[in-house]
Amino acid sequence: MDVQALYHLFQSTFQSDANVRIQAELQLKQLEGTQGTLLASMQIIGSEESDMHVRQAASIYFKNAIKRYWYENESTPAHLKIAEADKDTIKANILQLLASTPTIVRTQLLTVLGVILANDFPTKYPGYLAQVQTLLQSQDPKIVFIGLLALKETTRVYKFKVSDREPLDEIIGTFFPAIQQIGAGLINANNVEAAEMLKIIFKCYHHTIQIDLSERQRDSASLVPWGTLFIQMIEKPIPTEGLPADLEELEKHPWWKAKRWAYQCLNRLYTRYGNPPALTSESKFKEFANGFVRNFAPNILSAYLKQVELWVAKQTWLSPRVLCLIGNFFEESVKDKNIWSIMKPHSETLITHFVFPQLCFTAADEALWVDDAVEYIHAKIEVIEDFTSPTASATSFMTTMARYRQNSFMQILNLANSVLQKYNDAPVDAKNPREKDGALVMVGALAPLILRKKSLASMMEPFFVNHIFPDFKSQYPFLRARACDMVNKFSDLDFEDTNNVGVAFTGLMECLRDEELPVKVTAALALRPMIRHEAVCEAMKPHLQFIMHEFLAITNKIDVDTLANVMEEFVEVFAQDLAPFAVQLCEQLRDTFLRICADMGPTAESVDDYSDAAADEAADKTMAAMGVLKTMGTLILSLESTPEVLNQLEIALLPVITHTLQNSIIDLFDGVFEIIDSCTFSGKSISVNMWGILELIYKTFKESALDFMEEMLPSLDNYISYGKDVFCQNENLQHMMYDIIETVMKSDRLGENDRVCACKLAESLLLNCRGHVDKYLAPILGLVFEYLGPEDRIQTIEFRVQAIEVVMNALYYNAAATLRLLEESGQTQRFLTVWFGNLDKFSRVHDKKLSIVALCSILNVPVEQLPAALQSGWPQVLDGLLTNFEGLPVAQAKRKEMEKMYNIVSDDDSDSDSDSDSDSGEDSDDDEDELEAALAGEDDDVEEEWVDDEEDVYDEGHEYLEFLAQQAAKRANDAEGEENDDEDEDEEEDFDDLEEEIYFESPLDSLDPYVIFREVFTGLQQHNPASYNELTKATTPAQQEFIMHLLEVGELNAAAAAESA
């Protein structure tokens, strides 16, 4: 490869002339896979004579090529594979190249090294560790730094690797004592280079303890020096010289990054391996944890408390990430009795001076609110889970203390009460609204605990009257928002005075009209739980159009996923009230959806093109679009009794469906297929517009929706079921549906769940188009027997049942033709064996009815057309019929019970909040004596979670984890032979009946199996006595009696049907 020519191409990618740039990029693309190109790129990268922008361009090109083509698979084109000779050269020189390049280029090369190590280390990169050791033993700090970087990329390989960790043990034994000594030598330095090296050392250690803690690291000979180094880093005063004034930049400074990683290492050691209550009794770390919590954790806690003391005294600054890590450690410390005994004397101070200030509305919060209200909402209001937020960490620490340590619960409520009382008592110009906000955050975070204790819950109504309701009209927007949030947090609180419910609703409606977007959003979210109050529901009805308009207006300003859930519930609850302007609402939802899709913009071509911020923004918009889709689907289903409205809704939604499918917005396929299902199901017919959509579904399936068979199935089934007249006459539609079935059954990409869906689609085609799809009978059977034929091809019971049912449907469709096809393919005996061997698996009503009509169809086939296998086993057909009839009443009873259960759940939901357990508070002044009395109340029906200070605290789910650990240990002790014996039998024993699909509809629903059996059985007796005698020759007296019963039921049902007709 001509190095100069390649250099010129990289240089041309920076030309101002777009044509020159594009031409250069195309030529570089063509050079991919050309032997020598990557090596020439390395020369350019490593040459100090090269222009910096050229070196940077070459390093990016080099990185991308390595990421794409270093690991080869079957889909890698031969001409793009990197030659082994080139790979060896790259591996031999990559560390030297790292040492000779500036930071901006080195970043790209570290990615290259990581890819190589992830694929080749250790077996294909045998000399690598020796190279790293040489670098680390250098007397030149710059070379040692490269050695640390190289070691970090090596440990990163094992960060999340569960197995094959033996090479890591060797690395820990060989390198970690050395890098710990390097770190100890750097800890007293004050230069930035020392900070960078310490950060890398700590990251190396953290990589190795992410999944496991090796025996070497558990040994005190390793733990003591490393733990000492971490604590030294935590306690080290940061050199002030050269520090940036901007706090965001300060957090990114190497010294603060090094501190953060020291905290992370200590936290990981304690929370995953060193905290006894967090471990199961079977854990291999139990002994280590007992020693750690006695000998090491107290030192860590003392170091953390010292840093908090300095922070409270404003003698040091702590980065938000460090504050978060400290809060996480404190939370874990609440659980172990030994560490809690050390922390307990500090608990009130921590609540007052560590937790409370972080919960108050800050100047930074206000600046964000003013500068970017949308970002404020994402950061402070619609927070899913933020594992890096100091506020979230402090809140979690506080709620854990309140939940498990009664004394702390009192301390928190007393502090909140004193702050709120102070606010009420202070003159207007002396009130501190930021502190009041923090106090309300504290109380709101404890809402689930307060509401569980009736004596405390009864005090909350006067609390709202005194401290919350006035803030609906506060001059401070953040307090108006907090008032709405508190109504939401205490949504399960039952007010004794119904007027207070009205005050809350009126306040929320006023806040929904507020000019401040965060206030409007919190009000909208709080309106949702108010629906449970009947009086509020009635009061809402005149304002529904305004409320929905405001919801949509908010959605057009910000993508709030939870707001979509609010809209969906309003549509569901107020469907009939929204009907007069449902079309207008649907059009607004459609426009909102299309606006969100437009904001998504073009998708990035690769992961490299996506920044984290862009990915987060795209995810937010996708979730918002999904929520709008769900609301539209709910609107359609809620108005299924109004066909004239449905038709207009369908027309309004066509752009939503076409835009999503035509542009292959895969993330929204699920929601769009639900919309199509709702449109086709609600009207029980297929409109002209929706027939056009079917063709688009088929096109999308072939191009990009192969993996969405499960999501498409309900819609496709609706098209066949409710458009059967068109399907029966349209061969093109039939072919499309068969092609979908065939594609799914043959695809190597799909699993048995998808093939179950294909079988259900085949069933729908055969059941609904009887007599009109003869040409597809043989091909469908051929697809199914690709799996039913071999004994071990099918893995799951559900697929086996569904595959058998396809053949049963074929028998019902045309028994004579199906039997002939089975005989021609040599599958008759195999199918009968599988069918009758699995009769007990046909547990649902539909399964049994289908089995009955299929067997009756066989009885109708002339004897001379029956295969020999059936003739010899003719009585077995009657046995199968009787078996299905015996189980049918049980299946029907189960189905009715399930339908009844669903209705009961629905009724319960609407009435569940009609009774109130709350006792009214006697005084609005929640002083300390009242709190203590409430906490000591004996009238509560809830089980207290507070534990004695001398006891450990176990997390939710600990018992389940303990059970799993014991089961795993038990299995490990079982003999391997015993474990593997009778595997198939175990599968059958573990099989649960397939769940009844209560919303599933088919043409069989209208058929009476008793009537059909009576007609077939008596017809056989009258017209083919020889076949009848052969069929019944082996029946027992009990079977004969049961047959007579079936015939009587059939006769009664036929008479009843004739009378009702």
Side-chain angles (χ1 to χ4, degrees):
M1 182 67 202
D2 187 341
V3 177
Q4 279 301 115
L6 187 61
Y7 184 96
H8 179 71
L9 286 176
F10 286 130
Q11 196 172 43
S12 297
T13 60
F14 289 90
Q15 292 293 323
S16 57
D17 189 331
N19 292 326
V20 174
R21 275 201 321 274
I22 293 170
Q23 189 63 32
E25 289 167 0
L26 288 173
Q27 289 184 50
L28 286 170
K29 185 75 175 173
Q30 291 169 359
L31 286 173
E32 286 184 353
T34 303
Q35 189 165 356
T37 301
L38 294 180
L39 301 185
S41 299
M42 289 182 75
Q43 289 184 47
I44 295 169
I45 294 166
S47 172
E48 293 184 3
E49 297 177 358
S50 300
D51 289 342
M52 184 53 65
H53 68 273
V54 174
R55 296 176 79 179
Q56 189 177 357
S59 66
I60 293 171
Y61 178 84
F62 183 61
K63 175 196 72 175
N64 290 338
I66 296 296
K67 286 176 70 175
R68 289 175 186 142
Y69 307 123
W70 190 274
Y71 174 72
E72 298 172 5
N73 55 40
E74 295 177 359
S75 63
T76 306
H79 71 282
L80 293 177
K81 294 180 179 179
I82 302 172
E84 289 300 321
D86 285 2
K87 285 186 175 182
D88 291 340
T89 304
I90 291 168
K91 287 188 284 191
N93 292 280
I94 186 69
L95 292 182
Q96 182 181 346
L97 192 61
L98 272 169
S100 65
T101 51
T103 303
I104 194 170
V105 174
R106 188 182 298 142
T107 302
Q108 309 296 332
L109 297 179
L110 283 173
T111 302
V112 170
L113 180 60
V115 171
I116 294 172
L117 290 170
N119 288 285
D120 287 15
F121 185 81
T123 54
K124 295 181 182 179
Y125 208 166
Y128 177 74
L129 290 180
Q131 294 182 53
V132 175
Q133 194 163 33
T134 301
L135 294 171
L136 290 173
Q137 291 171 348
S138 172
Q139 298 303 307
D140 185 347
K142 293 181 180 179
I143 300 300
V144 174
F145 179 68
I146 300 301
L148 290 172
L149 286 174
L151 184 64
K152 181 196 72 174
E153 291 304 318
T154 315
T155 57
R156 189 196 298 276
V157 172
Y158 296 93
K159 184 177 181 181
F160 298 112
K161 203 169 187 178
V162 177
S163 57
D164 302 325
R165 292 175 65 89
E166 292 79 7
L168 181 62
D169 292 335
E170 180 187 341
I171 290 168
I172 292 169
T174 305
F175 291 94
F176 273 40
I179 65 172
Q180 188 277 329
Q181 286 297 315
I182 293 171
L186 295 169
I187 197 69
N188 293 318
N190 290 325
N191 56 71
V192 174
E193 291 76 16
E196 289 281 8
M197 294 174 79
L198 282 165
K199 179 191 75 174
I200 296 167
I201 290 169
F202 297 155
K203 288 182 79 170
C204 288
Y205 190 90
H206 192 266
H207 286 163
T208 64
I209 64 172
Q210 187 71 26
I211 291 294
D212 193 13
L213 188 68
S214 68
E215 289 188 23
R216 291 178 191 271
Q217 291 168 308
R218 281 177 256 165
D219 193 289
S220 58
S222 169
L223 191 63
V224 171
W226 276 104
T228 301
L229 181 61
F230 296 142
I231 290 178
Q232 285 177 324
M233 184 70 250
I234 284 169
E235 294 179 337
K236 178 181 174 65
I238 298 296
T240 56
E241 186 178 348
L243 290 180
D246 182 76
L247 294 183
E248 288 188 9
E249 291 302 316
L250 182 58
E251 186 172 9
K252 298 174 185 175
H253 192 275
W255 277 117
W256 275 107
K257 283 189 173 183
K259 269 189 180 285
R260 171 166 67 89
W261 282 103
Y263 276 103
Q264 286 191 213
C265 288
L266 290 173
N267 276 27
R268 191 68 178 173
L269 283 170
Y270 179 55
T271 59
R272 186 170 175 88
Y273 311 107
N275 189 7
L279 301 172
T280 65
S281 59
E282 304 292 333
S283 173
K284 66 180 180 180
F285 304 115
K286 200 72 177 179
E287 183 180 347
F288 169 79
N290 291 330
F292 190 91
V293 83
R294 286 194 306 269
N295 304 317
F296 292 93
N299 297 330
I300 301 172
L301 178 61
S302 296
Y304 282 24
L305 288 170
K306 178 63 177 175
Q307 293 305 302
V308 169
E309 183 181 336
L310 293 171
W311 178 74
V312 170
K314 301 191 185 305
Q315 295 176 15
T316 189
W317 178 80
L318 295 177
S319 72
R321 190 72 180 92
V322 165
L323 282 171
C324 177
L325 290 165
I326 291 174
N328 293 342
F329 187 90
F330 285 167
E331 181 182 356
E332 287 297 312
S333 300
V334 173
K335 300 172 185 177
D336 181 81
K337 59 188 177 185
N338 300 299
I339 304 302
W340 173 245
S341 67
I342 301 171
M343 178 184 276
K344 184 180 176 182
H346 304 277
S347 62
E348 189 165 10
T349 302
L350 288 173
I351 292 166
T352 306
H353 300 292
F354 177 71
V355 174
F356 178 65
Q358 296 188 68
L359 304 188
C360 293
F361 191 80
T362 65
D365 293 333
E366 185 173 14
L368 183 59
W369 180 307
V370 172
D371 296 339
D372 192 344
V374 169
E375 184 55 36
Y376 177 87
I377 291 165
H378 285 311
K380 298 291 184 177
I381 296 175
E382 202 202 20
V383 182
I384 308 300
E385 274 187 294
D386 190 348
F387 298 108
T388 62
S389 163
T391 304
S393 173
T395 303
S396 187
F397 165 46
M398 177 191 70
T399 53
T400 299
M401 279 199 296
R403 181 174 182 179
Y404 296 117
R405 305 296 182 183
Q406 182 175 357
N407 187 56
S408 297
F409 189 51
M410 271 294 304
Q411 292 168 347
I412 295 165
L413 290 185
N414 284 334
L415 173 61
N417 178 64
S418 65
V419 171
L420 293 171
Q421 201 59 51
K422 176 184 173 184
Y423 182 87
N424 277 3
D425 295 342
V428 174
D429 57 349
K431 292 181 184 294
N432 188 332
R434 297 184 191 278
E435 287 191 351
K436 178 176 184 179
D437 185 69
L440 293 179
V441 171
M442 296 182 92
V443 176
L446 301 186
L449 303 178
I450 293 171
L451 291 173
R452 287 177 58 184
K453 195 164 182 65
K454 288 187 292 186
S455 48
L456 273 179
S458 67
M459 300 169 66
M460 292 312 297
E461 184 164 359
F463 176 88
F464 266 74
V465 171
N466 286 336
H467 301 296
I468 308 299
F469 291 162
D471 283 339
F472 280 130
K473 296 182 179 180
S474 171
Q475 63 176 308
Y476 303 104
F478 63 86
L479 282 182
R480 298 200 296 271
R482 184 63 59 202
C484 298
D485 181 61
M486 290 296 286
V487 172
N488 200 354
K489 289 281 200 310
F490 283 89
S491 59
D492 289 333
L493 177 66
D494 290 310
F495 289 102
E496 290 285 328
D497 186 347
T498 55
N499 290 326
N500 286 328
V501 179
V503 172
F505 172 62
T506 303
L508 292 177
M509 289 297 290
E510 286 300 316
C511 288
L512 192 61
R513 295 181 172 89
D514 203 292
E515 293 181 357
E516 299 286 343
L517 185 60
V519 179
K520 293 172 77 75
V521 170
T522 48
L525 297 178
L527 276 173
R528 181 186 188 182
M530 295 294 287
I531 295 174
R532 74 183 183 91
H533 298 284
E534 187 176 345
V536 172
C537 268
E538 290 301 316
M540 279 184 183
K541 288 180 180 179
H543 305 285
L544 281 175
Q545 191 165 5
F546 163 75
I547 292 172
M548 296 304 294
H549 178 271
E550 287 299 312
F551 287 171
L552 286 165
I554 294 170
T555 304
N556 282 321
K557 292 179 181 177
I558 180 172
D559 303 317
V560 183
D561 178 39
T562 45
L563 185 57
N565 297 331
V566 177
M567 285 196 292
E568 183 187 356
E569 186 157 344
F570 266 75
V571 166
E572 190 171 345
V573 172
F574 298 105
Q576 298 308 313
D577 303 283
L578 289 169
F581 49 95
V583 176
Q584 179 188 352
L585 175 59
C586 191
E587 288 171 346
Q588 290 173 326
L589 287 165
R590 173 201 63 200
D591 294 342
T592 297
F593 174 84
L594 294 175
R595 190 270 307 165
I596 295 171
C597 289
D599 288 347
M600 287 180 184
T603 56
E605 290 184 4
S606 70
V607 176
D608 295 335
D609 301 327
Y610 247 178
S611 67
D612 290 341
D616 289 343
E617 185 179 355
D620 288 342
K621 292 188 181 300
T622 299
M623 292 300 291
M626 287 178 179
V628 175
L629 281 173
K630 203 166 184 184
T631 303
M632 290 188 282
T634 303
L635 185 62
I636 295 167
L637 291 174
S638 301
L639 297 169
E640 61 179 322
S641 59
T642 56
E644 67 286 349
V645 177
L646 278 176
N647 186 53
Q648 295 178 68
L649 294 180
E650 192 179 277
I651 293 170
L653 290 174
L654 285 175
V656 169
I657 299 169
T658 54
H659 178 85
T660 305
L661 297 183
Q662 286 175 351
N663 291 282
S664 295
I665 308 177
I666 292 175
D667 290 338
L668 302 180
F669 277 0
D670 192 3
V672 160
F673 288 130
E674 279 192 27
I675 291 283
I676 299 170
D677 177 29
S678 300
C679 287
T680 49
F681 177 79
S682 297
K684 301 292 189 291
S685 63
I686 312 297
S687 68
V688 174
N689 291 321
M690 294 309 294
W691 280 119
I693 294 297
L694 177 58
E695 294 184 8
L696 183 55
I697 293 174
Y698 175 68
K699 182 174 180 289
T700 306
F701 168 79
K702 297 297 286 184
E703 292 175 355
S704 57
L706 178 62
D707 298 313
F708 288 84
M709 184 61 202
E710 191 170 352
E711 289 77 11
M712 287 192 299
L713 176 64
S715 303
L716 296 176
D717 179 52
N718 291 344
Y719 273 105
I720 299 173
S721 300
Y722 304 128
K724 65 177 70 176
D725 293 341
V726 176
F727 250 97
C728 289
Q729 305 302 322
N730 192 317
E731 291 191 5
N732 182 50
L733 294 178
Q734 294 173 15
H735 169 73
M736 284 164 47
M737 214 55 75
Y738 172 74
D739 187 44
I740 292 173
I741 296 166
E742 182 183 45
T743 302
V744 174
M745 294 297 283
K746 288 186 174 181
S747 174
D748 295 333
R749 223 167 91 184
L750 302 179
E752 292 199 349
N753 282 343
D754 299 293
R755 298 193 220 290
V756 166
C757 294
C759 288
K760 289 182 177 180
L761 193 58
E763 176 180 49
S764 182
L765 197 63
L766 293 171
L767 274 177
N768 287 285
C769 302
R770 295 187 72 199
H772 296 280
V773 288
D774 293 358
K775 63 187 288 187
Y776 295 110
L777 192 62
I780 287 173
L781 290 172
L783 292 172
V784 169
F785 273 101
E786 284 292 319
Y787 298 91
L788 274 180
E791 290 191 11
D792 57 351
R793 185 78 190 273
I794 293 180
Q795 303 299 316
T796 62
I797 298 293
E798 187 177 7
F799 184 30
R800 189 191 311 164
V801 167
Q802 211 61 52
I804 295 170
E805 290 196 350
V806 172
V807 187
M808 289 159 57
N809 273 286
L811 287 167
Y812 178 54
Y813 179 90
N814 188 329
T818 301
L819 291 172
R820 186 184 73 252
L821 291 167
L822 291 176
E823 193 67 10
E824 288 172 356
S825 61
Q827 297 287 358
T828 307
Q829 187 60 57
R830 168 65 183 161
F831 173 67
L832 292 174
T833 302
V834 174
W835 186 7
F836 289 109
N838 287 277
L839 283 179
D840 60 320
K841 307 299 186 300
F842 299 102
S843 56
R844 297 167 296 191
V845 173
H846 176 78
D847 302 333
K848 293 191 176 298
K849 290 179 76 171
L850 177 60
S851 195
I852 289 168
V853 296
L855 289 166
C856 286
S857 298
I858 292 175
L859 292 181
N860 274 331
V861 176
V863 176
E864 62 275 10
Q865 294 182 26
L866 292 173
L870 255 180
Q871 291 183 18
S872 61
W874 198 229
Q876 195 176 3
V877 175
L878 182 59
D879 289 342
L881 274 165
L882 298 181
T883 300
N884 278 290
F885 271 117
E886 285 170 1
L888 181 59
V890 176
Q892 289 172 328
K894 283 184 178 178
R895 182 181 176 92
K896 284 183 179 178
E897 193 62 34
M898 181 174 279
E899 290 171 347
K900 180 180 175 184
M901 179 186 71
Y902 271 71
N903 289 333
I904 288 173
V905 169
S906 179
D907 293 342
D908 282 352
D909 282 347
S910 61
D911 297 335
S912 59
D913 298 302
S914 59
D915 297 326
S916 171
D917 294 328
S918 299
D919 298 319
S920 59
E922 295 177 3
D923 193 343
S924 62
D925 186 11
D926 301 344
D927 59 28
E928 190 170 331
D929 293 337
E930 285 180 308
L931 284 173
E932 289 175 349
L935 290 170
E938 298 180 357
D939 61 332
D940 295 304
D941 297 324
V942 298
E943 181 182 346
E944 295 291 4
E945 293 185 85
W946 290 316
V947 299
D948 189 272
D949 287 337
E950 302 302 317
E951 296 178 9
D952 290 329
V953 172
Y954 294 96
D955 288 333
E956 286 184 61
H958 181 82
E959 291 183 6
Y960 179 61
L961 291 175
E962 187 73 40
F963 168 76
L964 290 179
Q966 291 171 357
Q967 291 298 305
K970 182 181 177 183
R971 282 197 300 272
N973 293 329
D974 287 342
E976 186 174 348
E978 293 178 8
E979 195 172 294
N980 292 331
D981 281 348
D982 303 324
E983 215 168 89
D984 293 336
E985 285 81 350
D986 288 344
E987 182 190 347
E988 300 301 326
E989 288 174 11
D990 293 341
F991 168 72
D992 292 325
D993 287 347
L994 296 176
E995 187 174 334
E996 191 72 57
E997 299 174 24
I998 61 172
Y999 295 113
F1000 175 71
E1001 297 177 0
S1002 89
L1004 294 184
D1005 295 343
S1006 59
L1007 298 182
D1008 188 323
Y1010 295 94
V1011 173
I1012 292 173
F1013 175 73
R1014 175 179 170 274
E1015 291 173 352
V1016 171
F1017 195 76
T1018 55
L1020 192 67
Q1021 186 179 25
Q1022 293 169 9
H1023 305 296
N1024 198 338
S1027 179
Y1028 173 81
N1029 291 332
E1030 182 66 22
L1031 184 74
T1032 58
K1033 67 180 182 180
T1035 53
T1036 65
Q1039 286 178 322
Q1040 291 170 9
E1041 185 178 348
F1042 186 51
I1043 291 169
M1044 293 304 298
H1045 167 71
L1046 295 178
L1047 295 174
E1048 289 173 6
V1049 173
E1051 185 174 2
L1052 289 172
N1053 289 359
E1059 186 176 340
S1060 62

